[in-house]
Amino acid sequence: MAFESLYPRVTPSRRIQDMCGSWDFQFDPDSKGVAEGWTAGLPNPTDMPVPASFADVFTDKYSREYTGDFWYATTVFVPGEWQNGNVDIRFDSATHAATVFVNGAEVTSHEGGFLPFVAHINEVVKWNDYNTVAVKVNNELSWQTLPVGEVHTLGDGTKMSAPYFDFYNYSGLQRNVRLLFTPFERIEDFEVVHHINGSNAHIDYAVSTNGEHDVEVIVLDEDGTQVARATGKEGTLVIEDVQLWNLRAAYLYRFVVRITDGDRLIDEYFDEIGVRTVEIKDCQILVNGRPVYLKGFGRHEDSNVHGRGFDAVMNKRDFEDMKWIGANSFRTSHYPYAEEQLYEADRDGFFVIDEVAAVGMMKSLMNFLDAAGGSGTAQKTYFEEESVQTETLEVHKRTLRELVTRDKRHASVCAWSLLNEPDSKVPEAVPYFEAIFDLVREIDPQKRPRSYASVMMAPAGTDTTHHVADFIMLNRYHGWYVNSGYASADGATMMRAELEKWHELEPDKPLMFTEYGADTMAGVHKLPSVMWSEEYQVEIMKMWAEIFDSYDWVVGEQPWNLNDFQTTEGIMRVDGNKKGLFTRDRQPKMAAFFLRDRWTAIPDYKN
Ligand code: CKX
């Protein structure tokens, strides 16, 4: 069943009741909430906005850094007339794990903090009455969670998150929560695969329902005119004179799926879908058969006080900043983003590299940098650990199934990133990578290109896993973590040598940079430049640009990061990571103007 992956829509057969707003909230450091009946309501709550991360709303360190169980609770009125259908609560995410109780009864649980799940509540609901919803959430990290990390215990017994990744471990009900009504017989999922034939498109489709009645699919253009129709749970739709979806020139059709019994409508669902193809060919990434040059960013869902909480205003500003600077792509680093972000990317024609939260698969104890030296407490490297090759691999596969199921129809989702900066220099990584890359090839109906973001500690010749990738993605930091400051020119020389080696190893695979850059404090100016100054970030962007322009099989550049963002505190971070081309309040640094001049002069398509 993939009903949980269908983005909620109001249609003639479907209803939505928003559950966002102020919920009760309480920490449960002794994990006693279930035993003490918090499932029916919290004993001593404060109020907490949903969606939001809880950390940055508090003024005390204990609350901000809280690690362990914590609870949300609210009441929701369920209309009596909804008895003649399914009633579900859809959580667009709960970070990182959640168990849901309705009127004291456990109804579902879910692990993974960045993908949706539903609680089916018909059996426990009080119809035409108020119902208590309690959610036990947990934000503890381990070698089996995606993302990866540890939990440390301080001297007084307090737990503390120790992420293996460089973003703050924000958690909570960070995305939308909705009460849904759908017919008992309903559309559970559907997929489309596009084929372009001259001026026409042939779109193979498959619809999943939980019943036996007839299915029809209708396609409407942007004027609402019907341009195609087919019947049956599977088939092919033909759109003549198709308007293709292109980078920064989107066109979206409305695919309307119906279950009917003669003239009677049983269920209707729709999605806004762009018709396009994406493939690797002739050492290029092709959209609609044309080679593209990707300009854009690694990002984070991150903003002041909201933390990782869904923020439509900040998301809109991010897209406006990306359009201003001339970008046409982004990677959902380092976790699946809210569906609303992908719909925005569909509308604005952005090429999205959709990344699962497989980050930190390398041992680290201090803002992840320890991983470079393999230091830290673990005796083994990450992929040498038996539990990784078994338990974590299953978590990774389940999360990939959820990701592909949720995002498979989006025109903007043009590629998958299955890991970020894993320890890909050890032979034990090979079977793990092969298993997850094979899975995504199997379950993605559109067979999109797959890759992973390569860490600088596993350069060409050391990396053991690049054979699984359809294209190469490099995170490289010459000019910052290595060969920095006055030595940056040496970094450029070393990078060119590594690129030549990559092209020898993988002559048929295009290559792009998914991270490069320099921490930059907005407002720090020096002549000549020094590291951390805005002038230095400009120089580093120029250094990388000259490298990219030297190779036609370098097909994309995504500096790190679009914005400054919050991380775990440490000696390497000044209230977060400052590699943004924009500040955390979305204002441009000097280097953004350099990139704007550069990117607005580079076409989205090479021909
Ligand atoms: N890459 C040496 C992953 C990102 C971090 C970035 C950084 C690292 C660099 C790896 O999540 O923020 O240190 O800025």
Side-chain angles (χ1 to χ4, degrees):
M1 182 184 90
F3 168 69
E4 69 279 4
S5 300
L6 286 181
Y7 186 70
R9 302 271 191 199
V10 175
T11 73
S13 59
R14 296 182 172 220
R15 296 291 178 267
I16 295 174
Q17 188 172 298
D18 185 13
M19 290 182 64
C20 294
S22 181
W23 288 47
D24 288 346
F25 180 86
Q26 188 165 348
F27 294 129
D28 183 8
D30 302 321
S31 299
K32 62 186 181 184
V34 172
E36 294 193 357
W38 296 18
T39 56
L42 309 186
N44 182 29
T46 184
D47 56 293
M48 181 60 63
V50 171
S53 309
F54 69 76
D56 286 349
V57 303
F58 291 113
T59 56
D60 66 292
K61 193 73 172 170
Y62 173 85
S63 299
R64 182 180 190 262
E65 307 299 342
Y66 180 82
T67 300
D69 288 350
F70 52 100
W71 290 73
Y72 289 79
T74 191
T75 59
V76 61
F77 185 85
V78 181
E81 57 269 29
W82 284 17
Q83 291 184 66
N84 60 355
N86 290 304
V87 181
D88 297 270
I89 303 173
R90 188 191 202 245
F91 296 83
D92 288 5
S93 73
T95 309
H96 291 288
T99 303
V100 181
F101 303 86
V102 173
N103 299 326
E106 182 175 335
V107 288
T108 196
S109 61
H110 182 264
E111 288 187 15
F114 302 96
L115 289 165
F117 63 99
V118 295
H120 183 69
I121 65 171
N122 286 57
E123 288 69 29
V124 296
V125 81
K126 292 184 289 186
W127 298 106
N128 216 44
D129 200 348
Y130 292 91
N131 294 260
T132 299
V133 178
V135 188
K136 183 181 72 154
V137 189
N138 182 280
N139 63 356
E140 294 177 66
L141 301 168
S142 74
W143 283 39
Q144 276 67 57
T145 56
L146 269 58
V148 178
E150 294 177 4
V151 176
H152 293 171
T153 303
L154 304 179
D156 65 1
T158 303
K159 291 179 185 175
M160 179 182 112
S161 289
Y164 288 10
F165 47 87
D166 187 36
F167 51 94
Y168 191 80
N169 189 36
Y170 286 119
S171 55
L173 296 182
Q174 300 182 128
R175 293 178 185 164
N176 291 310
V177 182
R178 303 174 181 92
L179 186 69
L180 308 181
F181 170 84
T182 52
F184 284 129
E185 182 175 357
R186 68 186 179 189
I187 297 146
E188 301 260 312
D189 196 8
F190 79 104
E191 65 187 49
V192 290
V193 179
H194 307 294
H195 306 280
I196 302 170
N197 299 306
S199 61
N200 299 340
H202 291 73
I203 301 158
D204 298 330
Y205 74 88
V207 177
S208 303
T209 78
N210 63 349
E212 300 308 319
H213 282 99
D214 297 337
V215 169
E216 69 168 356
V217 181
I218 292 166
V219 180
L220 308 177
D221 67 14
E222 288 186 350
D223 298 327
T225 304
Q226 181 174 314
V227 295
R229 179 179 182 276
T231 58
K233 289 191 177 183
E234 295 185 8
T236 298
L237 293 150
V238 179
I239 302 178
E240 296 181 354
D241 298 324
V242 64
Q243 295 289 320
L244 295 177
W245 183 93
N246 274 298
L247 290 194
R248 305 293 296 109
Y251 189 95
L252 298 177
Y253 288 94
R254 175 169 291 200
F255 284 61
V256 181
V257 184
R258 292 192 181 114
I259 302 175
T260 58
D261 179 11
D263 294 337
R264 182 171 71 91
L265 176 69
I266 295 175
D267 189 22
E268 179 174 315
Y269 183 78
F270 71 87
D271 210 357
E272 308 285 346
I273 299 175
V275 177
R276 61 100 184 92
T277 60
V278 59
E279 62 187 310
I280 304 290
K281 189 176 178 184
D282 301 330
C283 215
Q284 299 290 321
I285 297 176
L286 308 183
V287 172
N288 302 328
R290 299 167 61 201
V292 297
Y293 189 79
L294 300 178
K295 305 162 286 180
F297 296 94
R299 298 176 59 200
H300 268 298
E301 290 187 321
D302 170 282
S303 61
N304 198 20
V305 185
H306 290 247
R308 206 160 317 292
F310 177 75
D311 185 332
V313 173
M314 283 301 188
N315 291 345
K316 175 60 177 174
R317 172 68 187 206
D318 283 343
F319 276 87
E320 291 306 311
D321 280 344
M322 289 193 286
K323 289 187 275 190
W324 171 84
I325 204 171
N328 60 19
S329 69
F330 62 86
R331 173 172 60 123
T332 70
S333 42
H334 295 299
Y335 36 79
Y337 289 3
E339 292 141 299
E340 289 85 354
Q341 292 244 46
L342 298 180
Y343 282 113
E344 185 80 38
D346 292 339
R347 287 192 294 273
D348 286 348
F350 276 76
F351 183 114
V352 175
I353 302 169
D354 203 355
E355 184 162 277
V356 72
V359 58
M361 292 187 163
M362 183 178 255
K363 181 76 187 87
S364 164
L365 276 181
M366 177 183 70
N367 275 339
F368 84 91
L369 270 187
D370 269 9
S375 64
T377 56
Q379 302 310 313
K380 295 179 179 176
T381 65
Y382 184 77
F383 290 105
E384 287 177 317
E385 179 63 43
E386 178 57 28
S387 66
V388 168
Q389 295 288 348
T390 53
E391 297 168 54
T392 309
L393 178 57
E394 289 314 305
V395 171
H396 205 152
K397 286 180 174 179
R398 172 173 50 76
T399 308
L400 283 168
R401 286 191 186 93
E402 291 182 17
L403 176 68
V404 173
T405 302
R406 187 194 74 162
D407 295 347
K408 60 181 180 291
R409 287 183 302 281
H410 284 282
S412 58
V413 175
C414 294
W416 307 107
S417 173
L418 278 60
L419 310 105
N420 179 73
E421 295 182 334
D423 188 354
S424 60
K425 61 184 185 298
V426 295
E428 291 78 7
V430 173
Y432 187 104
F433 281 47
E434 289 174 346
I436 59 174
F437 275 75
D438 289 350
L439 173 68
V440 171
R441 171 62 74 206
E442 174 197 342
I443 64 177
D444 175 15
Q446 295 188 7
K447 311 301 179 198
R448 296 166 175 87
R450 306 151 299 161
S451 191
Y452 62 94
S454 154
V455 70
M456 65 185 186
M457 302 80 163
T462 304
D463 177 288
T464 61
T465 55
H466 57 80
H467 61 283
V468 300
D470 298 313
F471 65 108
I472 305 297
M473 301 196 309
L474 299 185
N475 294 358
R476 294 292 184 269
Y477 282 88
H478 298 286
W480 189 252
Y481 291 114
V482 290
N483 309 301
S484 57
Y486 198 33
S488 58
D490 289 353
T493 304
M494 291 176 71
M495 189 67 246
R496 290 177 184 275
E498 187 190 358
L499 278 174
E500 301 288 348
K501 192 152 191 172
W502 274 114
H503 200 54
E504 286 169 24
L505 286 169
E506 296 286 8
D508 300 325
K509 293 180 184 177
L511 182 149
M512 70 178 288
F513 283 80
T514 35
E515 286 183 31
Y516 60 96
D519 277 274
T520 304
M521 289 302 281
V524 172
H525 294 281
K526 289 290 281 189
L527 184 64
S529 71
V530 294
M531 295 172 72
W532 291 94
S533 68
E534 291 194 50
E535 288 78 10
Y536 186 73
Q537 190 181 38
V538 174
E539 290 169 17
I540 291 301
M541 291 296 129
K542 286 180 178 175
M543 177 190 86
W544 282 105
E546 289 169 13
I547 295 171
F548 304 150
D549 292 346
S550 306
Y551 308 93
D552 70 355
W553 37 267
V554 171
V555 298
E557 54 189 75
Q558 295 184 337
W560 190 254
N561 186 286
L562 172 63
N563 302 308
D564 293 344
F565 59 91
Q566 193 55 270
T567 66
T568 308
E569 61 188 327
I571 61 171
M572 303 286 286
R573 294 290 174 259
V574 183
D575 188 23
N577 186 306
K578 302 298 183 187
K579 292 190 183 69
L581 274 295
F582 295 78
T583 60
R584 200 180 189 203
D585 62 1
R586 275 66 177 174
Q587 299 304 329
K589 300 176 187 175
M590 274 173 64
F593 293 90
F594 164 75
L595 283 181
R596 173 178 162 85
D597 289 345
R598 170 176 167 77
W599 286 355
T600 50
I602 297 176
D604 300 314
Y605 291 87
K606 294 186 173 182
N607 61 31

